Amino acid sequence: MTTTNPLRDPRDKRLPRVAGPSVLVLFGVTGDLSRKKLLPAIYDLANRGLLPPGFSLVGFARRDWEHQDFRQVAYEAVKENARTPFREDVWRHLAEGMHFVPGEFSDPGAFEALAMAVKELDATRGTGGNYAFYLSIPPKFFPMVVEQLQRCGLTEHGPHSWRRVVVEKPFGHDLKSARELNATLHRVFPEESIFRIDHYLGKETVQNILAMRFANTMYEPVWNRSYIDHVQITMAEDIGIGGRAGYYDGIGAARDVIQNHLLQLLALTAMEEPTSFSAEAVRAEKAKVLSSVRLPDDLSRTTARGQYAAGWQGGERVRGYLEEDGIPPDSRTETYAAIKLEIESRRWAGVPFYLRTGKRLSRRVTEVALIFQRAPHLPFSETDTEELGQNALVMRVQPDEGITVRFGSKVPGTAMEIRDVNMDFAYGESFTEHSPEAYERLLLDVLIGDPPLFPRQEEVELSWGILDPIEEYWAEHGRPEPYKSGGYGPASADLLMARDGRAWRRL
Ligand code: BG6
């Protein structure tokens, strides 16, 4: 599979990063993430020639399945959700390495069967005793699964093989539970074997924040409090909670995505230049930013939360959060959250970072916007510049991946009239190849053993340290404000900005 790769650009002289012999054991194989992201990403990696010839995938779940049933489920997931074209030969080769072990997490016998299955794969497919265990399961099962893995000897390995464990968020629901979860994992796996997935870090556009900042000269001189007025980080979604009531209720928007994705975006935007792109150097700089984050004193004026009510979206009538299946009618879970943060550092002192996220908003957009201060002096008459706003640099994470710079320009004509215009860089226009999915990149990194894109425990704990006081405040102060589906979020979020004489960028 590695030798003929039709999708590789022949001009690419760099050696491809290809995984070595290995088995990926997937717990939670019947879940949504598996079907929508993980199984398609594995196929896409195989299709790009990045998996070794004997690569094997073992599904473990409480289903009465044979190998063939698992392969059929994977086939459908790939057909439906893979990014690259379907190729019968690639699929057949991949499917030969797919095995299924039925069982309960509480059943030692099932884990014995798992141990036998992977050993057999080592013998028949040359997977070299290298196993990655992907826990795409509710965190309450983590302790049981890691103990079972240890009990059946699956966590032991020789000097020439490896074990890795991949954990999906949520990494706890507050600082205390995050520490407990970490202790559970550490009882069995050393830190270097633990890969915590934050899929935002696998997105090309998120990695491009670092490329943009540290590969160029023109941004760095203005990337600080002398030029930047404030920063807005937005992750807006147009979807509701779908079938995820069990996961989402009681978690809410802030724990779901601010604790991880948005604070990681903040860290990448605000961090200092790392000494290298090694895992340690990048993570250390991110941790420095997160430990300098300060919450404003008055959380009633600097945070806002909302819950979507019924409304119209994409021409369809949609239900409110409280009417969704599985949601208690008195739920106080927020589906929108906005917070104002400050970073106590020489570079950022006095520059507010506003973070917002919400479900069922008017459209899907994730972006980081740096809004510049106004020019200290404008040698124009007031009417000339009525339509001149503040300069902005916007990194669009998705969709329409790219970068926009907004600045003032003379409107053609005989008068000196100045208006905002945009200068655009779009990935789709500058590069011919499509970006890989975040999970392709992250799964490959796990199999290769390359950790820079995975947050370490310190970052997780620092992020909970930022969020915990807000969650506590919210728990004691009323309910989230209803907002109309298909709109722009709750009025309290607009007020949060208006108090500072600012406004959110239009969605
Ligand atoms: C997940 C959240 O981490 O990210 C979901 O749990 C959210 O609630 C999803 O919908 C969004 O991911 P993306 O890649 O579509 O922005």
Side-chain angles (χ1 to χ4, degrees):
M1 223 188 297
T2 45
T3 45
T4 53
N5 174 8
L7 297 183
R8 232 186 100 208
D9 185 340
R11 291 165 305 177
D12 186 355
K13 298 285 182 295
R14 289 165 309 168
L15 285 177
R17 296 167 75 245
V18 178
S22 46
V23 181
L24 180 66
V25 181
L26 196 50
F27 293 95
V29 77
T30 55
D32 238 28
L33 184 72
S34 219
R35 186 168 53 84
K36 290 196 182 136
K37 300 285 183 189
L38 302 178
L39 294 167
I42 291 165
Y43 167 80
D44 288 325
L45 286 173
N47 205 3
R48 293 164 64 208
L50 303 180
L51 297 182
F55 174 78
S56 303
L57 175 69
V58 177
F60 184 105
R62 198 178 51 183
R63 288 288 156 101
D64 192 14
W65 282 354
E66 302 287 335
H67 301 320
Q68 205 41 46
D69 300 312
F70 175 42
R71 289 174 193 153
Q72 183 59 28
V73 166
Y75 174 80
E76 282 158 22
V78 166
K79 276 287 202 170
E80 200 182 336
N81 297 311
R83 184 180 65 84
T84 61
F86 187 78
R87 284 177 48 204
E88 194 61 44
D89 54 334
V90 173
W91 167 254
R92 228 178 305 117
H93 191 97
L94 187 65
E96 277 164 20
M98 287 188 178
H99 292 248
F100 186 74
V101 177
E104 304 268 350
F105 298 146
S106 57
D107 176 10
F111 282 79
E112 296 295 340
L114 177 65
M116 298 236 309
V118 290
K119 272 178 204 136
E120 205 175 305
L121 290 171
D122 285 340
T124 55
R125 296 181 59 86
T127 41
N130 300 316
Y131 313 143
F133 304 106
Y134 198 121
L135 308 188
S136 178
I137 54 178
K140 64 175 180 208
F141 294 119
F142 287 179
M144 191 183 278
V145 171
V146 296
E147 271 161 34
Q148 294 277 25
L149 289 173
Q150 187 177 37
R151 192 173 314 151
C152 68
L154 268 177
T155 53
E156 281 159 36
H157 62 99
H160 303 297
S161 58
W162 50 256
R163 299 287 182 273
R164 292 178 193 136
V165 63
V166 188
V167 281
E168 267 293 336
K169 75 180 186 53
F171 312 122
H173 57 269
D174 57 12
L175 180 56
K176 185 167 170 282
S177 54
R179 285 189 173 142
E180 285 163 6
L181 171 60
N182 194 45
T184 301
L185 294 172
H186 271 270
R187 274 200 288 278
V188 176
F189 293 98
E191 177 63 20
E192 64 273 16
S193 304
I194 303 175
F195 287 70
R196 300 174 187 83
I197 292 241
D198 181 325
H199 80 280
Y200 263 59
L201 297 179
K203 291 183 191 269
E204 292 276 313
T205 40
V206 172
Q207 293 158 41
N208 194 37
I209 296 177
L210 295 185
M212 211 191 88
R213 291 195 54 201
F214 302 123
N216 299 302
T217 47
M218 63 192 203
Y219 303 115
E220 183 56 22
V222 296
W223 209 269
N224 55 55
R225 68 188 303 275
S226 306
Y227 292 91
I228 292 173
D229 175 69
H230 71 280
V231 178
Q232 297 188 17
I233 303 182
T234 299
M235 176 183 168
E237 294 185 281
D238 51 7
I239 51 170
I241 55 156
R244 297 166 78 217
Y247 157 76
Y248 199 85
D249 197 56
I251 295 271
R255 288 190 175 103
D256 185 36
V257 301
I258 292 186
Q259 185 272 338
N260 35 72
H261 310 330
L262 266 62
L263 285 175
Q264 285 289 329
L265 289 177
L266 173 140
L268 294 170
T269 306
M271 72 187 227
E272 298 301 319
E273 183 177 292
T275 49
S276 72
F277 280 99
S278 72
E280 277 323 296
V282 174
R283 288 156 155 187
E285 292 304 335
K286 284 195 288 168
K288 252 162 59 186
V289 174
L290 293 172
S291 56
S292 338
V293 167
R294 194 179 68 81
L295 286 181
D297 298 329
D298 187 353
L299 296 179
S300 71
R301 298 168 66 81
T302 52
T303 68
R305 71 199 146 125
Q307 194 179 62
Y308 62 81
W312 288 88
Q313 203 151 36
E316 270 180 34
R317 181 98 188 127
V318 292
R319 286 188 284 187
Y321 181 74
L322 297 179
E323 289 98 57
E324 297 276 20
D325 294 336
I327 300 296
D330 57 349
S331 170
R332 291 178 171 210
T333 300
E334 85 282 357
T335 59
Y336 179 104
I339 56 180
K340 172 183 174 181
L341 300 172
E342 282 180 16
I343 297 174
E344 293 186 312
S345 70
R346 176 171 287 246
R347 184 190 285 269
W348 294 114
V351 178
F353 282 67
Y354 299 96
L355 276 49
R356 66 175 159 164
T357 182
K359 294 210 181 273
R360 283 252 182 266
L361 296 174
S362 61
R363 72 184 186 102
R364 174 174 185 247
V365 58
T366 300
E367 64 171 35
V368 177
L370 283 76
I371 314 294
F372 288 80
Q373 295 169 11
R374 290 182 190 280
H377 168 70
L378 289 172
F380 308 97
S381 77
E382 232 169 78
T383 49
D384 293 347
T385 55
E386 261 169 4
E387 293 195 53
L388 173 67
Q390 283 165 272
N391 294 168
L393 190 150
V394 184
M395 299 179 278
R396 298 191 308 271
V397 172
Q398 61 189 28
D400 306 328
E401 292 82 355
I403 293 169
T404 298
V405 178
R406 184 180 70 196
F407 57 96
S409 167
K410 182 179 176 311
V411 178
T414 48
M416 178 52 90
E417 187 191 342
I418 298 168
R419 192 191 292 166
D420 283 338
V421 292
N422 286 333
M423 195 162 74
D424 237 1
F425 150 68
Y427 271 81
E429 283 170 21
S430 297
F431 301 109
T432 46
E433 63 258 58
H434 290 289
S435 299
E437 275 281 326
Y439 277 99
E440 281 174 68
R441 170 66 198 261
L442 296 175
L443 279 168
L444 183 63
D445 284 2
V446 167
L447 296 176
I448 290 177
D450 203 8
L453 297 181
F454 298 82
R456 70 174 169 197
Q457 179 65 12
E458 186 186 4
E459 292 165 70
V460 172
E461 292 190 8
L462 287 167
S463 303
W464 281 121
I466 296 167
L467 212 58
D468 276 1
I470 299 174
E471 292 287 355
E472 278 159 29
Y473 175 83
W474 284 348
E476 285 161 15
H477 291 84
R479 322 177 46 86
E481 180 190 343
Y483 62 95
K484 225 195 212 145
S485 285
Y488 302 106
S492 50
D494 293 335
L495 195 60
L496 180 161
M497 287 297 247
R499 276 189 205 105
D500 292 350
R502 300 186 173 109
W504 293 109
R505 282 170 50 76
R506 197 164 329 132
L507 284 182

